[in-house]
């Protein structure tokens, strides 16, 4: 309906503005301060990044109620991966926030999202540019595995801090005699991360094939 399409356009516009601001801010800071800008990336743009990622949870709701035709499980995996790494791993450990891997991770995420939300906004208006369609569904194929590697590296970097500070580790008193050592949880999550990548990459290829074929048909009709 027109109302739902307008709502989705506004949502995509908000995400585009947020990620464009982050992406532009990162580039300007790097051009102005060089490598010195990398260490405080999280402090300068972390708040906006967290807001954008929290807002992206709505995309799961969009699929569940049927106003977005994307596949649920791949999108859920992608959003969950970002939420876990950003809020559980990076946000909880101040020492990790100053690592260069955070800047690399944010750069990859925002590059993908600026293109994706630009494509989505134009698609809501019935505008399809074949070069943009190609870029949107091709760029994610090499960049998504790179982002997974960056997430895995961020988790590995954070492990010593989780071990020394005991963050999120739980030890229940007697008579339960049960404990959760969070570094072990993160190590298991690394395996889940790479298994999820093996599932998502074929889905990216199938989406690319379907949308490029549709884009070619629409171009010929126009």
């Amino acid at each position: 309906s027109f109302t739902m399409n307008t709502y989705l356009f506004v949502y995509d516009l908000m995400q585009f503005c947020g990620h464009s601001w982050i992406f532009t801010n990162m580039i300007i800071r790097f051009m102005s301060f060089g490598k010195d800008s990398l260490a405080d990336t999280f402090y300068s743009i972390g708040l906006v990044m967290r807001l954008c990622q929290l807002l992206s949870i709505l995309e799961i709701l969009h699929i569940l109620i049927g106003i977005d035709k994307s596949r649920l499980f791949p999108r859920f995996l992608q959003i969950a991966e970002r939420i876990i790494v950003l809020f559980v791993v990076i946000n909880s450990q101040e020492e990790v926030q100053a690592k260069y891997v955070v800047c690399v991770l944010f750069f990859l995420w925002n590059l993908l999202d600026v293109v994706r939300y630009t494509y989505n906004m134009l698609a809501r208006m019935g505008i399809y540019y074949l070069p943009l369609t190609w870029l949107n569904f091709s760029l994610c194929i090499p960049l998504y595995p790179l982002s997974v590697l960056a997430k895995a590296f961020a988790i590995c970097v954070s492990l010593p801090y989780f071990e020394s500070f005991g963050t999120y580790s739980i030890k229940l008193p007697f008579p339960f005699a049960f404990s959760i050592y969070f570094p072990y949880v993160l190590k298991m999550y690394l395996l889940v991360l790479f298994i999820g990548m093996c599932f998502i990459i074929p889905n990216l290829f199938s989406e690319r094939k379907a949308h490029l074929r549709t884009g070619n048909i629409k171009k010929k009709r126009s």
Side-chain angles (χ1 to χ4, degrees):
S1 68
F2 175 78
T3 303
M4 287 294 99
N5 202 52
T6 302
Y7 161 74
L8 290 173
F9 177 83
V10 172
Y11 168 80
D12 291 329
L13 178 61
M14 291 174 61
Q15 288 282 36
F16 170 79
C17 291
H19 288 289
S20 296
W21 182 87
I22 295 171
F23 192 68
T24 305
N25 186 289
M26 291 181 68
I27 293 175
I28 293 175
R29 285 173 53 80
F30 182 76
M31 293 176 64
S32 301
F33 306 107
K35 290 184 178 180
D36 292 338
S37 67
L38 303 182
D40 62 347
T41 295
F42 186 84
Y43 302 103
S44 60
I45 63 175
L47 176 61
V48 180
M49 191 69 194
R50 280 172 283 179
L51 290 174
C52 287
Q53 296 308 316
L54 286 175
L55 192 62
S56 70
I57 297 175
L58 289 174
E59 295 179 26
I60 299 174
L61 179 62
H62 297 163
I63 298 173
L64 288 174
I65 64 178
I67 61 176
D68 187 340
K69 302 304 179 183
S70 302
R71 295 179 63 186
L72 175 62
F73 189 58
R75 192 74 197 116
F76 171 79
L77 281 179
Q78 290 173 299
I79 293 173
E81 287 172 4
R82 291 191 182 189
I83 294 293
I84 291 172
V85 172
L86 179 58
F87 286 91
V88 177
V89 176
I90 299 175
N91 190 63
S92 66
Q93 299 296 336
E94 188 174 351
E95 291 77 6
V96 178
Q97 296 168 12
K99 303 295 184 182
Y100 288 171
V101 66
V102 174
C103 182
V104 173
L105 195 55
F106 282 10
F107 181 84
L108 293 173
W109 286 354
N110 285 282
L111 178 57
L112 286 169
D113 286 338
V114 166
V115 174
R116 183 164 70 91
Y117 289 115
T118 301
Y119 170 82
N120 286 348
M121 282 192 301
L122 294 176
R124 307 296 179 199
M125 298 185 292
I127 301 173
Y128 296 90
Y129 290 112
L130 191 56
L132 181 60
T133 303
W134 181 90
L135 183 64
N136 181 54
F137 292 100
S138 300
L139 190 65
C140 57
I141 292 174
L143 292 192
Y144 175 71
L146 288 177
S147 71
V148 171
L149 291 175
K151 293 171 196 170
F153 187 75
I155 291 173
C156 291
V157 167
S158 72
L159 285 175
Y161 302 107
F162 280 104
E163 290 171 355
S164 59
F165 298 139
T167 310
Y168 300 134
S169 294
I170 301 173
K171 186 174 182 180
L172 297 178
F174 184 82
F176 300 101
F178 177 76
S179 62
I180 297 176
Y181 188 55
F182 195 70
Y184 290 161
V185 177
L186 286 179
K187 290 176 182 178
M188 288 188 291
Y189 179 68
L190 282 173
L191 179 61
V192 174
L193 198 62
F194 285 102
I195 292 175
M197 181 180 69
C198 294
F199 176 82
I200 290 176
I201 289 179
N203 182 72
L204 295 176
F205 275 102
S206 64
E207 282 189 345
R208 180 180 184 275
K209 182 178 179 180
H211 282 84
L212 289 182
R213 182 170 59 244
T214 303
N216 282 321
I217 293 173
K218 290 178 179 179
K219 183 179 180 181
K220 291 177 180 179
R221 287 178 178 176
S222 60

